[in-house]
Structure formats: structure tokens, C-alpha cells
Amino acid sequence: MVRYYVSIAVLALALTAAAQSLRDLADQRGIRIGAAADPSHFTETAYAGTLSREFNQIEPENAMKFQPIHPGIGAYSFGQADSIVAFGRQHSMAVRGHTLVWHSQVPDWVTKGGYTPEQLSTILQDHINTVVTHYAGQVYAWDVVNEAFNDDGTLRSTIWSGTPGYIEQALRWAHTADPAALLFVNDFSAEGINAKSDAIYKMAQDFVTRSVPLHGIGLQMHYTTGNTNLTGVDLNIQRLTALGLQVHITELDVRLPVNSSGTATPALLATQAQIYRDVMAICLKYPLCTSIQTWGFTDRYSWIPGTFPGFGAALPFDTAYQPKPAYTSMQSSLATAPPVIASAGMLNAASYAGGAVAPGEIVVFFGPTFGPAALTVAQSDSSGNFPVELAGVRLLFDGVPARLIYARTGQISGVVPFSTAGPAVRVQYEYQGILSNAVSLPVVAAVPGIFTLDSSGAGASAILDVAYKPVTEANAARRGDAIQIFATGGGLNLSETNVTVARGRALLRMVSGLGMPISSSVPRQFRRNLR
Ligand code: G3I
């Protein structure tokens, strides 16, 4: 059970959070908060209004499954799914696809067609290629394979099992059809540590090792109040994200025993709220836990009562679209869970070298799980100083705030305070008054890095001639020319540092704050679905 000691700042934040939708709060943290949707309800104002106000991600509950979207040989029916994609586009919501390969909802023309395994493999490849191609650029992530494992960790025997390595094959076919899409393997009862999640983890390790196009694991999280110990979930998300994979919580709902009118007791609603809070808090601990999605969002429309008689009330909104305690706990968890940082995210802003910092070094800090959704670039004041607080963000080195250059969720750039001294410095990140965990980094005399023209940390350097034109092969510098090399990390001796260049010597002027890489490639372990 995760407990929070509420500081005044946190309490204040929790109160302001009450005025913000889940979507606003999630945007501020660069995380996706989604809901599975049924387009047949879009004409219901309250349904469409709640969905677009509270969520920045949408996923078809059924419309993209094999049977609805591919009802006959060579016959595709995209209408329902297209309306969900259109809703997402209209409301600037990310669209997540579900699901390409599943043992359920497979149409009779496939299951009763008497096909050989080879023919089924061709049918599956055609299905994946056609559907993923149709939604390329519109669906950012797919549950490519759903529920492929048994509880004991063995592979489920399905109609698709005749294709050797069908999970890997399906991922490769999907990747070919849309190389930009994030590809997931999704399952239930594999949230914590057990034989099933061990088998999924083993598969993930193998796929990552062999560069099979798997980008993440989906944890469905269909819960009851019986399993409230989420320690195993934390450990499972930790080990999956340590592989560099993303984790999506894909189908969260917490079913409750209800009376004949579908109502649950306040005590059960409170337990449900705690589970929603804890699930949110665990995901927010991991930069690569990038999406939390509920399976539906209102008790008015949920699969639970039809599947589990005597159970219901599983979602954050009640049948009248009123927020329940589960909603409020998601809100406060999004607002008060502390940001999480890792020392590996602190890199030289020019070279992306990490592992240590130098006083005065311009750094870029990847990975903090909170921050302004939109990029905020600082302006220097009349005396040329950059601010120590930017859009609610501060970066502290032994408690001393760094001057900041830009900030957005997951990527902040600033200047290591010149007062920073070794042998190590304690770094904390603060957003809206809430401090992150502290990490320690060695302090060294210098971490020199030359900025590059494309902000990639490699390739052509930011070196200008007297006419402020880049010095390149075509515009080579001549002996005796004055050139400017934009660099950082020279340490305290900032005045002028001699550097050796080919067959000559030049003066290296350490500059700060210029040419900051903003669209730089985010290291894999910190990649998040930044909008
Ligand atoms: O659309 C047809 C309709 O034309 C027909 O008249 C009606 C009666 O037969 O059936 C309708 O299809 C139903 C479909 O939901 C749409 O409402 C299917 O019978 C019914 O089996 C299907 O249930 C869905 C179930 O997956 C099976 O696909 C549930 O709504 C959906 O919530 C559930 O979701 C699954 C995830 O995809 C995977 N993880 C588990 C989760 C819960 O089972």
C-alpha cells in the first residue's frame, strides 16, 4: 500500500487539481490517460463530452477486432473504427489500436474455413498489413497480439499457433506496415510477478536482444478489491521498463459487488479509489510507463455486469457521468505523486556525454516525469541572466537552483551552478513545488562538448567563421582566421581555453545558453509519448 505524507504544497496542489481534468493533469506530466470507447455512444452528449474533456487518448473497445473490421474474405469494414479515429482527431486525442491478433472475435470465415496453417498465416499477414496500413500515421500504438499466454506461462493454443513464432511474425508484419507505430503485446493476470508475467518478461528480453520490433507490454489490469497489494505490479513494471520497453496500463477497471440496482457500498468505492490511486502512482514512478487507460469510463457502459453477474461499478464515472471516488483519487494522484528522476538522464547539452557534471556546464536533463506539457523557452533578463524557475520547474544542485534555458515534460536544459563543487553533487527536480527523489552525480573539472549544427550531438559542429557562416568542408577556415566554436563544459576557467585543431591552434570561447538543442533525440530509456 502506497502512503503519502501530504505537505502543505501537496495539499494545495491537490486542491487546485480538483479544478483540473484528468487530461489537463496528464498533459502536464507527459503521460497518456485513455479510455476504451464505443462509437455507438458518440451521439450521447454526456458520453462524448466526458470522453474528450477527461482523456487525451482513445481506443476502440471492439471496432478494430478481427471480426468487426474484417468480416469476410477480402472484405474490410472500417466505418466504426474510422469514427473512433475521427473522434480522436477532432479532439486532439491519441488513438491506440486494439487488437490485431487474438484468439477471440475471429470470424467464422476464418475459423470454419478449413485452412491449412500456411493459409492461416497468409490470412493473418494480409489482415495485419491491411489494417495497420489503413491506420498508419493515425494510430500511434497497437496491441498487436492480445492474450497469447496461459496462466502457467505456456503459450495459449490458438488458431494462429500454426504460424511458427506467430507473435514475432505479427510484430514484424505490423512494423513493416507502419514503422512509426509503437507495438505492444497485451495480456491480463500478468500485472504482478507470476508464471505468466515471467513468461512475458522472458519473451520481452529475447525480443529486445534480437531487436524484434516490440516497443512495450500492455498490462490489462482488470481488478477486483481482492487484490489490493500492488507491490508485484511495481516490480513487474520496473523490470519491463529496465529493458527499455514502455508499459501501458491498457484496460483498468476495478469491479465491485453491487446490489440489484448496480450500486456499490461507500466502503467498497473507497477501496476501489485506493486501487486506482495506487495504480496511477506506480505508473507515474516510471518514465516509461507512458499510458494509463480504463476499459470504458462510465458504469453506464461496461463489460463487467454481463460477464460477472453481481459485479459492476468498475469505472471512474457512475452511470450518470458523475465522478466517483476513483476519479478523485486519480486526479489527486496525478497532481501529487512526486516527480521521479534518474542520474543517467543528466547529459552534456552539446555532446550528450553523461555520468558527471562540471560547474557552468550546460546540461540537458531527460526523464523527469512531470513538467509543462508544452515547451517553454526562457528569456534572459535585462542583465542577461536566465531564470532559476521556468513554468513551475526548478533544477537544484545541492539545493542551488540552476539557471534554466528551456523546460517541458521529460526534457529540461540549464546551466550547472558555478558554485557546484566536488566530489559529488545532490540533484533534485521540482515541479509546481513538489520535489523529486534526489540523485547524486560526480563533479569534475570539465566536461567539454562542442554543439552540433543539427542538435544531435554528432556530425557537423557549431563552428562559425567571421561572417557567422558554419565552417564546413565547402567553407573551410584558413590559418589565422578567427572562428567561433560553440561549446560548453569547460569548467570554471571560462575565459579562454586553448584547443588544438588540425594543423593549427584556435581560441575556444566557452559560451552558455546558445544553440540549445531542443528537438534533440531523447535517449531510449527516457523516451515518452510526448505529444
Ligand atoms: O456488435 C455485435 C452486435 O451486432 C450483435 O447484435 C451483438 C449480439 O450478438 O454482439 C455484438 O458484438 C459484441 C461486442 O462485444 C460489441 O458489443 C460481442 O457479442 C461481444 O462478445 C463483445 O464483447 C467484448 C469482448 O471483449 C469480446 O470481444 C466486450 O464488449 C469487450 O469489453 C471485451 O474486451 C476485452 C478486450 O478486448 C481484451 N481484454 C479483455 C476485455 C474484456 O473481455
Side-chain angles (χ1 to χ4, degrees):
M1 186 74 73
V2 179
R3 290 248 177 274
Y4 279 100
Y5 296 93
V6 179
S7 70
I8 299 298
V10 167
L11 192 59
L13 208 76
L15 294 174
T16 48
Q20 292 184 287
S21 70
L22 296 179
R23 173 173 188 164
D24 291 340
L25 290 163
D27 281 347
Q28 285 167 23
R29 283 147 186 76
I31 191 168
R32 287 207 165 102
I33 187 99
D38 179 341
S40 66
H41 307 313
F42 283 166
T43 51
E44 203 181 320
T45 309
Y47 185 91
T50 306
L51 182 57
S52 56
R53 182 187 72 244
E54 297 291 341
F55 301 94
N56 58 21
Q57 174 178 294
I58 188 171
E59 178 174 304
E61 183 175 2
N62 293 297
M64 286 183 182
K65 291 171 180 172
F66 204 119
Q67 186 170 39
I69 209 165
H70 192 178
I73 299 176
Y76 287 86
S77 172
F78 290 115
Q80 290 287 297
D82 286 354
S83 62
I84 288 184
V85 172
F87 188 96
R89 187 168 46 245
Q90 180 189 352
H91 298 286
S92 303
M93 299 165 81
V95 181
R96 197 174 182 283
H98 173 85
T99 177
L100 297 168
V101 186
W102 193 22
H103 63 275
S104 182
Q105 297 274 197
V106 183
D108 287 350
W109 71 266
V110 176
T111 57
K112 296 173 180 166
Y115 295 111
T116 66
E118 293 72 23
Q119 288 167 326
L120 287 168
S121 183
T122 303
I123 288 169
L124 184 59
Q125 181 175 6
D126 170 71
H127 177 78
I128 292 173
N129 181 52
T130 305
V131 174
V132 176
T133 302
H134 181 83
Y135 291 114
Q138 303 176 85
V139 169
Y140 85 95
W142 280 100
D143 283 339
V144 175
V145 180
N146 189 43
E147 303 177 5
F149 289 84
N150 296 311
D151 287 347
D152 64 2
T154 58
L155 274 176
R156 182 193 295 265
S157 174
T158 80
I159 189 168
W160 309 117
S161 304
T163 300
Y166 83 92
I167 300 176
E168 175 176 342
Q169 272 297 358
L171 290 166
R172 291 188 185 282
W173 289 332
H175 186 64
T176 302
D178 184 358
L182 298 176
L183 306 180
F184 285 74
V185 170
N186 184 52
D187 220 316
F188 65 93
S189 299
E191 292 83 8
I193 302 293
N194 55 42
K196 188 171 187 177
S197 64
D198 286 346
I200 292 170
Y201 177 69
K202 192 159 170 273
M203 171 203 72
Q205 276 182 309
D206 170 48
F207 283 7
V208 168
T209 305
R210 292 190 295 114
S211 301
V212 175
L214 170 72
H215 304 105
I217 298 295
L219 306 177
Q220 290 187 9
M221 272 196 187
H222 292 298
Y223 265 50
T224 67
T225 50
N227 42 9
T228 56
N229 179 343
L230 302 182
T231 309
V233 177
D234 193 325
L235 292 171
N236 193 31
I237 294 177
Q238 185 181 50
R239 69 178 177 176
L240 289 168
T241 53
L243 295 174
L245 293 177
Q246 294 188 39
V247 166
H248 282 184
I249 292 166
T250 52
E251 307 182 15
L252 178 59
D253 51 29
V254 182
R255 59 184 180 270
L256 304 176
V258 292
N259 62 20
S260 54
S261 56
T263 307
T265 65
L268 283 170
L269 290 171
T271 304
Q272 178 186 62
Q274 188 62 47
I275 295 171
Y276 271 92
R277 177 197 298 276
D278 291 350
V279 168
M280 184 71 76
I282 290 171
C283 184
L284 284 170
K285 280 175 65 176
Y286 297 98
L288 282 176
C289 183
T290 51
S291 172
I292 296 177
Q293 180 171 270
T294 54
W295 203 243
F297 58 93
T298 166
D299 295 335
R300 192 183 187 87
Y301 306 112
S302 164
W303 71 292
I304 294 289
T307 308
F308 300 98
F311 284 83
L315 291 163
F317 290 90
D318 67 18
T319 54
Y321 296 96
Q322 294 307 303
K324 296 159 60 181
Y327 172 87
T328 312
S329 67
M330 291 170 85
Q331 238 184 350
S332 63
S333 187
L334 271 171
T336 60
V340 173
I341 62 173
S343 56
M346 185 73 74
L347 306 177
N348 180 292
S351 64
Y352 293 103
V357 293
E361 178 191 5
I362 303 173
V363 290
V364 54
F365 191 29
F366 289 107
T369 52
F370 284 6
L375 174 68
T376 307
V377 181
Q379 301 300 322
S380 56
D381 61 20
S382 53
S383 48
N385 286 320
F386 281 81
V388 293
E389 187 272 342
L390 186 58
V393 170
R394 292 202 308 160
L395 191 56
L396 306 170
F397 292 78
D398 282 342
V400 176
R403 300 225 173 255
L404 298 177
I405 295 161
Y406 67 79
R408 73 172 182 188
T409 300
Q411 186 175 345
I412 296 91
S413 184
V415 184
V416 177
F418 284 96
S419 60
T420 303
V425 64
R426 188 172 182 275
V427 176
Q428 278 187 288
Y429 169 85
E430 182 187 84
Y431 181 57
Q432 292 180 339
I434 301 183
L435 274 173
S436 74
N437 56 306
V439 295
S440 176
L441 274 159
V443 178
V444 295
V447 185
I450 296 178
F451 287 100
T452 56
L453 287 180
D454 66 357
S455 301
S456 69
S461 298
I463 299 176
L464 305 182
D465 65 15
V466 286
Y468 277 80
K469 287 192 174 39
V471 173
T472 62
E473 293 291 328
N475 178 35
R478 289 171 300 280
R479 186 183 299 280
D481 277 2
I483 58 173
Q484 294 185 73
I485 303 174
F486 290 82
T488 186
L492 289 177
N493 173 18
L494 259 184
S495 55
E496 290 181 348
T497 308
N498 284 339
V499 291
T500 303
V501 295
R503 293 193 308 283
R505 298 184 69 72
L507 289 185
L508 169 64
R509 290 186 186 287
M510 290 292 180
V511 295
S512 71
L514 300 180
M516 283 311 301
I518 287 177
S519 60
S520 46
S521 59
V522 178
R524 178 182 171 91
Q525 69 268 37
F526 298 109
R527 193 168 301 145
R528 292 177 66 82
N529 298 311
L530 295 173
R531 291 182 67 76

